Amino acid sequence: MRLTDGVIVVRDWTDEDLEVLVELSRDPETVRWTRVPEDNTVALAREFLAGEDSRPTLIADAATGEIIGSGGIVGDLGGGRAEIGYWVAPAHRG
């Protein structure tokens, strides 16, 4: 999936994004307010992205490709219970 308005891009995460995902998701405020583990690793991130109970998407700057954050649906999707979650990279908050 890939959507853009010319300012941002919303797309699926790829294996090429995993190192940056882990680096950005270790931010203390991201850990504090989300379900992202404090000791996130590439292996854990890959497992989460492949899971059946999440539909995460990457949000990036359309011009540069820089990752701004992530958003998606997480929870018991098969059981009909889920929530929308998101996080924004520290450099893009405010």
Side-chain angles (χ1 to χ4, degrees), residues 1-84:
M1 185 241 345
R2 186 180 193 282
L3 303 170
T4 186
D5 65 357
V7 178
I8 65 166
V9 173
V10 177
R11 65 172 174 81
D12 293 326
W13 287 94
T14 67
D15 282 344
E16 290 78 27
D17 303 316
L18 290 176
E19 292 288 338
V20 176
L21 168 58
V22 169
E23 178 185 335
L24 293 174
S25 69
R26 286 184 174 169
D27 170 69
E29 289 301 305
T30 300
V31 171
R32 177 180 179 200
W33 297 105
T34 69
R35 297 180 184 187
V36 176
E38 185 176 2
D39 58 347
N40 201 11
T41 65
V42 169
L44 288 173
R46 183 177 285 117
E47 183 179 318
F48 173 74
L49 294 175
E52 293 184 18
D53 288 332
S54 65
R55 297 293 179 264
T57 56
L58 176 147
I59 304 164
D61 182 289
T64 66
E66 180 182 10
I67 297 172
I68 295 170
S70 182
I73 301 171
V74 296
D76 181 7
L77 301 184
R81 297 184 62 99
E83 62 186 76
I84 296 172

